[in-house]
Amino acid sequence: MADWLPTLRTATPEEGYALAVKLARVAIRMTQPDAAVRERLRPEYAEDSGALIAVSQVVATHFATVAAANDYWRGAP
Amino acid sequence: MADWLPTLRTATPEEGYALAVKLARVAIRMTQPDAAVRERLRPEYAEDSGALIAVSQVVATHFATVAAANDYWRGAP
Amino acid sequence: MADWLPTLRTATPEEGYALAVKLARVAIRMTQPDAAVRERLRPEYAEDSGALIAVSQVVATHFATVAAANDYWRGAP
Amino acid sequence: MADWLPTLRTATPEEGYALAVKLARVAIRMTQPDAAVRERLRPEYAEDSGALIAVSQVVATHFATVAAANDYWRGAP
Amino acid sequence: MADWLPTLRTATPEEGYALAVKLARVAIRMTQPDAAVRERLRPEYAEDSGALIAVSQVVATHFATVAAANDYWRGAP
Amino acid sequence: MADWLPTLRTATPEEGYALAVKLARVAIRMTQPDAAVRERLRPEYAEDSGALIAVSQVVATHFATVAAANDYWRGAP
């Protein structure tokens, strides 16, 4: 996982949101490094509305950081 | 889902709130891309007060970001 | 629900807190638009301490935004 | 409950923390206005570690707001 | 509990973290003032991974406040 | 655990993320100092999607602080 986060800058808000999703996933991968276990858990939480909302909460927290890092893309059109 | 987030700027606080709701939903869609599964889950969480409050929490987090991006609509009347 | 959020400015911290409560409720209303269902859920969560605390958390998140939008009412006495 | 929040300014960090605790409680009171019900719930959550931690989370969120409003009491000794 | 929080300033990030842990605990103590009850609850949550993670979340929220209050200890080496 | 947090500055966003993970873990270690208990709990939460997402939430909160402390690594390429 070397060099997975060179910068928080993104060209657009959409790319910033995608980065937030990635940031949310990496902590899960670091806590559970076994890909087979993660694959086994995936269908479980992907069909659990509580888990889906909780993932969305993590993404929201990271998106706040990424958006601030990009000065909210104020220079964009 | 191309170009779903061109900017965080909105004309009014209301539109900013609507954008926050959208931002909360997109992460769920990205984690569970199957629309049929999401439709199946919907009635379940829409009648679960805990899930409704959790959704509201995600919206609150995104609204903070959107509001900051718009400098709290201070220029608005 | 047109024009429910013309501004984040309020005259006092108390009105700001009331606005935060409103902001917390609107997301629930948008996710569960059926007023009859919401009325049915109300007694359930209003007597559930976990749900009450979770509502208070959402209000706290929105209050942070509203307070920042009002520059913490620093001009007030 | 008129005039319960005249200002977010406090003389000391301790008073700011006490205000955060108050801010956390008011949302619960607004959501469950019946004092008798709240009294009934109290022993339940006061002996539930999950609920106690959740209350502490709400206080932490409000304390962040109160601390910012007081510029972190930087002028204090 | 008089004078438990004279300032948010700390000499180092480590001391700031310790202060965040303290801030997280005080709200629990205020909500459950009975030390005997808290002692009874302690082994329960100290062996519950969900509770441990929730405590860590509260600490994280307070650490954000303490770090901001200390301007992130930028003057430190 | 002396001197575990000399600074919040890191050279890169990746190192900042690693620091956020560390910050999340320390609170757990402080609340449950017994390493044997923590080892016993580990497999439990590492295979629980809810716990993994909750850990990710704590990391997200600390990452926001670390990123702000580093001015979002704006000087980096």
Side-chain angles (χ1 to χ4, degrees), chain C residues 12-14 17-18 21 25 42 45-49 52-53 55-57 59-61 63-64 67 72-74 76-77, chain D residues 3-6 8-9 23-24 26-28 30-32 40-41 44-45 51 54-55 57-58 61-62 65 68-69 71:
Chain C
T12 64
E14 263 174 70
Y17 194 91
V21 171
R25 289 180 181 164
R42 195 178 168 75
Y45 74 77
E47 304 206 3
D48 172 356
S49 52
L52 289 169
I53 297 165
V55 167
S56 186
Q57 180 68 54
V59 171
T61 305
F63 185 63
Y72 305 101
W73 299 277
R74 273 176 183 140
Chain D
D3 224 23
W4 64 274
L5 185 61
L8 295 183
R9 306 292 295 206
L23 287 162
V26 169
I28 290 174
M30 286 183 173
T31 311
Q32 177 47 271
R40 180 153 47 80
L41 293 175
E44 182 191 311
Y45 74 75
V55 166
Q57 180 68 55
V58 183
T61 305
H62 278 305
T65 304
D71 198 22

Side-chain angles (χ1 to χ4, degrees), chain E residues 4-24 59 62-70 72-73 76-77, chain F residues 1-8 23 26 30:
Chain E
W4 65 274
L5 186 60
T7 176
L8 295 183
R9 306 293 294 207
T10 68
T12 65
E14 263 173 72
E15 293 178 25
Y17 194 91
L19 179 56
V21 171
K22 183 181 182 179
L23 286 162
V59 171
H62 278 306
F63 186 64
T65 304
V66 174
N70 287 278
Y72 304 100
W73 299 277
Chain F
M1 274 184 61
D3 223 27
W4 65 274
L5 186 61
T7 176
L8 295 182
L23 287 162
V26 170
M30 286 184 172

Side-chain angles (χ1 to χ4, degrees), chain B residues 5 8 14-15 17 23 35 38 40 42 49-50 54 58 69 72:
Chain B
L5 185 62
L8 295 182
E14 264 174 69
E15 291 176 28
Y17 194 91
L23 287 162
R38 291 199 311 271
R40 180 152 47 81
R42 195 178 168 74
S49 52
V58 183
Y72 305 100

Side-chain angles (χ1 to χ4, degrees), chain B residues 18-68:
Chain B
L19 179 55
V21 170
K22 183 182 181 179
L23 287 162
R25 288 179 182 165
V26 170
I28 291 174
R29 215 176 311 158
M30 286 183 172
T31 309
Q32 178 46 271
D34 186 332
V37 175
R38 291 199 311 271
E39 274 317 296
R40 180 152 47 81
L41 294 174
R42 195 178 168 74
E44 181 190 313
Y45 75 76
E47 304 206 5
D48 173 355
S49 52
L52 289 169
I53 297 166
V55 166
S56 186
Q57 180 68 53
V58 183
V59 171
T61 305
H62 279 305
F63 185 64
T65 304
V66 173

Side-chain angles (χ1 to χ4, degrees), chain E residues 12-14 17-18 21 25 42 45-50 52-53 55-57 59-61 63-64 67 72-74 76-77, chain F residues 1 3-6 8-9 23-24 26-28 30-32 40-41 44-45 51 54-55 57-58 61-62 65 68-69:
Chain E
T12 65
E14 263 173 72
Y17 194 91
V21 171
R25 288 180 182 165
R42 196 178 167 73
Y45 75 76
E47 303 204 6
D48 173 355
S49 53
L52 289 169
I53 297 166
V55 166
S56 185
Q57 179 68 54
V59 171
T61 305
F63 186 64
Y72 304 100
W73 299 277
R74 274 176 183 140
Chain F
M1 274 184 61
D3 223 27
W4 65 274
L5 186 61
L8 295 182
R9 306 293 295 205
L23 287 162
V26 170
I28 290 174
M30 286 184 172
T31 310
Q32 177 46 271
R40 179 150 48 80
L41 294 174
E44 183 191 310
Y45 75 75
V55 166
Q57 180 67 55
V58 183
T61 305
H62 278 305
T65 304

Side-chain angles (χ1 to χ4, degrees), chain C residues 8-30:
Chain C
L8 296 183
R9 307 291 296 205
T10 69
T12 64
E14 263 174 70
E15 291 177 27
Y17 194 91
L19 179 55
V21 171
K22 183 181 181 179
L23 286 162
R25 289 180 181 164
V26 170
I28 290 174
R29 214 177 312 156
M30 286 183 173

